[in-house]
Amino acid sequence: MSTIGLVLRASARDLARNRWLIAYAAGFWAVTEALFYFGGSGPQVILSLLNAVLFVVPLVALVFGTAHVHASREFIEMLLSQPLSRRSVFAGLYLGLALPLTAAFLLGAGVPLLLHGAAADAPRLALVLLATGGALLTLTFAALAMVIALATDDRLRGMMLALGAWFVLTLAYDGAVLVLVSAMGDWPLERPLLALMLLNPVDVARVLVLTALDASALLGYTGALFRRVFGSALGPAVAVAALSAWAAIPVLVARRRFLRRDF
Amino acid sequence: MVTEVRARLRRASRLLAGGLAAVVGGAVSGTAGGAQDLVVGAGARFATLGAAVAAATPGATIRVTPGRYAEPTVVVRVPRLTIIGEDWPRFDGEGAHEILVIRADSVTVRGLEFANTGISQMEDRSALRVTESVGCVLADNRFRDALFAIYLERSTGCLVRGNDIRGTGGVETRNGNGVHLWYSPYNRVEDNQVRGQRDGIYFEFSRGAVASGNLSEGNRRYGLHFMFSDSCRYERNTFRDNGAGVAVMYSKVITMEENAFLGADGSTGYGLLLKDITDGSISRNRFEENSTGLFLEGASRLDIRDNDFRRNGWAVRLMADAEDSRFRGNLFAGNAFDVSTNSRTLRSDFEGNWWDAYRGYDLDRDGTGDVPFRPVRLFALVVEKHPEALLLLRSPITSVLDAAERVFPVLTPALADPRPLMRAPR
Amino acid sequence: MIALEGIRKAYGRRSVLDGVSLALEPGRITALVGPNGTGKTTLIKVILGLTRPDAGRLLLDGEPVDDDGAYRARIGYAPQAPRLPENLAVGEVFAMLRALRPGAALDERLIEDFGLRGEWQTRVGTLSGGWRQKLSSACAFLFAPDVLLLDEPTAGLDPVSSGLLKAQLRAAREAGRAVLISSHILSELEEIADDIAFLSDGQFRFSGPISGLLEETGMRRLEPAVAALLRGLRVEQGGAPRSRVRA
């Protein structure tokens, strides 16, 4: 455990000094402040921020994470030539990437939200869920970045893959779902659609925040299943569970890859 | 029918003054002018209300002392009778019958508790029924677990005020309405609280009614319901967590002001549901956290002004046959959809409203945006057609859709607010 | 002290190590030579566990090593064209290494000899190639390991530094450590190496004392001896198979 801590600390210290990461946190802070300054009411700011979170968090985690792991190749080799097990090196590396990213997000978006949100008439639950969703998205996409970086030796190829994954998960997937709904509109799509939402972490995070922010609209839908899911604590609970699973699966894939590959 | 009501109305105009005066001052001192003063209760002269009513002469006052009374349905046929309960004596229908029926003009019932009428599928069993009477006052009574609490039929000029009604909360088919007016024009329903009934307040074939200051909460179907009741007015009421807040159907010239429509969030949750109505006005109301704030179907020539729509799923849903309504000075904030419709051609008119989604500018500094605001999003149309698509709400893909639509506006209706307000009006 | 047995490693269809065995003995310096791209670095990485062999095993004092990497406590490694975390300062690199192996005995002579203290605050990313090489070698020596693996350690070093490194290598031999050096500069290896392992096409063409190689090839110096070995290989590849040169 202590070796994990050591690797984590070394990696995190390295990242904390990284100006892109600092810019990320500062950027989020600036956007949040600007939203409160210009945007007015709390729910509105949360909405704008939700869009920013769904768009930017996966992008930054993927691109930054992939680039960081590629750039850490030397560091990884150095660690692996020390008397450390690959398991602990992996754990340290992953946490060393994911935790500073999460911290940057929470600092950049969370602190101003808490400062202003307390004053604005923002629904508290939505604030908490937005922070939770953003943090879990960061963990998920940091892990996906590791999967990509560990599967590619070429940095450019890794970056293209990262951008591709981002595009698919934030835009193309929902676009395909929309096409599906339009094409299959006469079929009962409730269940398949809910399942499809659970299969994409960006959608899970979005629906999680919606349960607090747009409950009125979600409950307005006539489907009994929707009402059961969104009319109770079940919706947020399922979404948080699915997001946690989403954070865990790529970690396991990346870990398996890390334990087997050559450096 | 109509002529009968008209004749009663003429009589009502004579009696109304007296009835209202009784409420304001006279009822307190029932003994004025040497009128009868009868007392009901254990150890009193009358053991039952029925016995006292049988003995009463017009203008008499009956005082009911605290206690529990279970007796057959009492029918009042003596005009100008005043029945006053001390500390809410409880009249129990024993789950089997109506409790008090008024068949005389200018009767006042105050301070009684009515309970437990039981459920009937055969009749609109009511705790307190007023039949073919004028100028009655029903005030400050309590109703517990009644099928119907207060039922006015073919009665006019009555006042229903300050009653506290709590229904069983049962499903629609085993539940009745809190205050029900049937063929009863020109009555007032004020400051009552109704919970757990089917409809909180229901005006059926009852024109000229006024409802104000009521709280209608947690009723199964509608907080307030109009059917074929023209020229009514309701104001300063609060409708909270009902199946739908208010339904106005097949009625003309309804004035709706300063009400709060809150938390109707079911799949048929409407803050205010309008169906086949014309020439009404809706102003200075609050619509918050309803599935649909304001739903217009076959509604035309409405003046919709200075209302606040906040945090609803759909703030306004205009069906294709709604036309010629004017939206002015309304505020739209935090709604999932501001305006939705199932039609490409909308003949309603929005101008000078405030939209939180508006991102325009005001170079000429006249307080309104220089670029029109189009409140109907393309995604709203998709959801109207494929409701399941709602799950994609707030997805970045919908922003892409909307942006594309803004550049090539071909699908969404031409509906636009040409002069959106730059600052929230309230 | 440390031995490889029947190591095979292929990248895709390209076989890099094809059944390689090698033993490093205490108090001996082994030179690992061979044409470019023949798997010298892969071999060293197999010893470190950085590269997973497809077959074969790694023995330390006669025992197969565990997968948890604890055996690497006895190995010091200086990689080729040293790849070190660029955001760390020189001092931080040493601090981190020491934190990873608390309580280990330290050998800081190379740090002093190379004058690395003068660059203590410099970020690795801004170091020149030669300084990186010095840093890397100093890291390898830091814990006075039983086994030293140095991949092209003199590349980019000035003659003075190169001499200092060699002095440390001799001291290591005196101290009974096993040393493996890969290098192209054969004349340097001749000075200090005891044994030579010549790797080509995934196999050792020669493995044994340098004197044995000179004898075998009839040369007096290492460079022409290795050249002769290479020529022989070409003949071998071009012509009919013949018996291999062996120690």
Side-chain angles (χ1 to χ4, degrees), chain B residues 100-347:
Chain B
L100 183 58
V101 177
I102 313 283
R103 284 181 166 277
D105 295 342
S106 304
V107 171
T108 297
V109 178
R110 180 187 291 273
L112 303 185
E113 176 167 316
F114 299 82
N116 193 20
T117 60
I119 290 164
S120 167
Q121 305 291 348
M122 311 298 294
E123 50 166 355
D124 291 343
R125 190 181 291 160
S126 314
L128 174 54
R129 178 186 294 271
V130 179
T131 303
E132 296 177 7
S133 302
V134 173
C136 292
V137 175
L138 315 173
D140 304 328
N141 301 289
R142 288 179 183 167
F143 298 83
R144 300 290 181 266
D145 299 333
L147 185 62
F148 286 70
I150 297 175
Y151 198 117
L152 272 60
E153 53 185 350
R154 298 185 195 281
S155 296
T156 192
C158 295
L159 176 67
V160 179
R161 172 189 271 178
N163 299 286
D164 177 13
I165 301 171
R166 293 191 195 169
T168 59
V171 295
E172 280 186 26
T173 49
R174 299 175 57 80
N175 203 339
N177 305 325
V179 177
H180 191 116
L181 273 60
W182 185 75
Y183 281 109
S184 295
Y186 304 104
N187 295 291
R188 301 178 65 91
V189 179
E190 296 176 355
D191 303 331
N192 303 283
Q193 298 192 358
V194 190
R195 297 180 175 88
Q197 297 284 357
R198 181 172 62 195
D199 290 347
I201 302 166
Y202 190 174
F203 297 150
E204 191 179 14
F205 304 107
S206 298
R207 62 180 290 131
V210 175
S212 67
N214 301 286
L215 169 65
S216 195
E217 185 174 42
N219 296 292
R220 280 278 172 169
R221 195 169 63 182
Y222 305 126
L224 171 61
H225 188 182
F226 293 85
M227 272 291 200
F228 305 104
S229 297
D230 298 342
S231 306
C232 291
R233 186 154 61 88
Y234 65 97
E235 59 194 14
R236 290 180 286 103
N237 303 285
T238 298
F239 306 99
R240 186 185 293 137
D241 299 334
N242 302 291
V246 176
V248 184
M249 298 172 170
Y250 311 105
S251 303
K252 296 188 184 71
V253 201
I254 307 292
T255 304
M256 320 173 215
E257 289 182 356
E258 293 181 46
N259 302 286
F261 303 86
L262 314 172
D265 58 7
S267 56
T268 53
Y270 303 101
L272 172 53
L273 166 65
L274 303 178
K275 185 167 169 50
D276 290 298
I277 76 162
T278 55
D279 298 301
S281 75
I282 301 170
S283 47
R284 299 190 302 281
N285 301 284
R286 288 192 294 135
F287 299 81
E288 292 174 7
E289 292 174 1
N290 306 289
S291 288
T292 298
L294 174 57
F295 182 88
L296 298 95
E297 186 175 8
S300 55
R301 295 198 300 274
L302 295 167
D303 192 37
I304 300 163
R305 195 177 286 271
D306 301 333
N307 303 286
D308 289 2
F309 297 88
R310 294 178 193 273
R311 299 186 299 284
N312 302 285
W314 289 259
V316 175
R317 274 174 83 189
L318 282 162
M319 293 298 103
D321 49 2
E323 56 183 66
D324 295 333
S325 287
R326 294 165 305 280
F327 289 80
R328 299 280 186 276
N330 301 290
L331 177 149
F332 294 83
N335 306 295
F337 301 96
D338 287 332
V339 179
S340 179
T341 178
N342 61 355
S343 162
R344 281 223 56 212
T345 53
L346 272 184
R347 280 160 300 174

Side-chain angles (χ1 to χ4, degrees), chain B residues 27-31 37-41 44 49 52 61-65 69 82-86:
Chain B
V28 183
S29 57
T31 53
D37 193 351
L38 312 174
V39 179
V40 179
L49 177 62
T61 297
I62 299 176
R63 297 181 180 278
V64 185
T65 58
Y69 300 84
T82 300
I83 303 173
I84 296 180
E86 292 173 355

Side-chain angles (χ1 to χ4, degrees), chain A residues 44 47 51 55 171 174-175 178 181-182 185 187 193-194 197 206 210 214 216-217 219-222 226-227 230, chain B residues 265-267 289-291 311-314 336 356 359 382 386-397 400-401:
Chain A
Q44 230 179 301
L47 268 183
N51 280 327
F55 236 68
L171 273 179
D174 284 1
L178 203 57
V181 170
S182 306
W187 298 75
L193 267 187
L194 273 174
M197 293 296 101
R206 181 174 54 76
L210 287 191
D214 284 304
S216 303
L219 290 175
Y221 179 60
T222 43
F226 277 27
R227 294 186 53 71
F230 298 117
Chain B
D265 58 7
S267 56
E289 292 174 1
N290 306 289
S291 288
R311 299 186 299 284
N312 302 285
W314 289 259
D356 68 344
R359 294 282 174 272
V382 174
H386 306 290
E388 303 94 340
L390 188 61
L391 264 190
L392 291 174
L393 182 63
R394 314 281 186 205
S395 161
I397 193 73
V400 174
L401 270 189

